[in-house]
Amino acid sequence: MKATGIVRKVDELGRVVLPVELRKTFDIKKEDPLEIYVDGDSIILKKYQPACIFCGDAKNVKRIHEKIVCENCIAEMKSL
């Protein structure tokens, strides 16, 4: 994990402001969803990207019956 040297306080509602430099670096815009993970004693924020339910790939995905499936898995299923 890379340290940024940036420290922010949690406000009375539990909010933390992400610095503009980090939002620009990770292309996080107003209203973008973030995933929250816990790894040991660390809290990890990640920009949410819908991913394939079979392989986890987030590229070239399509919604099929409310499920996210990538083009590679669709092609594989067609070949069965």
Side-chain angles (χ1 to χ4, degrees):
M1 207 174 323
K2 183 178 176 185
T4 63
I6 300 170
V7 176
R8 292 287 190 255
K9 290 185 179 182
V10 177
D11 73 7
E12 62 276 355
L13 296 176
R15 298 176 296 199
V16 177
V17 175
L18 297 176
V20 69
E21 301 88 6
L22 291 177
R23 295 193 313 262
K24 285 181 181 179
T25 299
F26 292 98
D27 192 32
I28 298 171
K29 295 176 181 63
K30 181 180 176 184
E31 303 293 324
D32 278 351
L34 298 177
E35 289 186 274
I36 303 170
Y37 297 92
V38 176
D39 184 14
D41 62 350
S42 297
I43 299 170
I44 300 166
L45 299 176
K46 180 181 175 190
K47 186 173 178 179
Y48 174 71
Q49 292 183 331
C52 177
I53 60 169
F54 297 111
C55 70
D57 190 2
K59 296 175 189 160
N60 302 316
V61 295
K62 297 182 186 239
R63 186 173 295 274
I64 301 174
H65 299 290
E66 300 304 315
K67 305 293 183 198
I68 304 294
V69 184
C70 73
E71 290 179 359
N72 290 338
C73 288
I74 292 170
E76 187 175 331
M77 286 186 276
K78 285 181 179 179
S79 70
L80 296 176

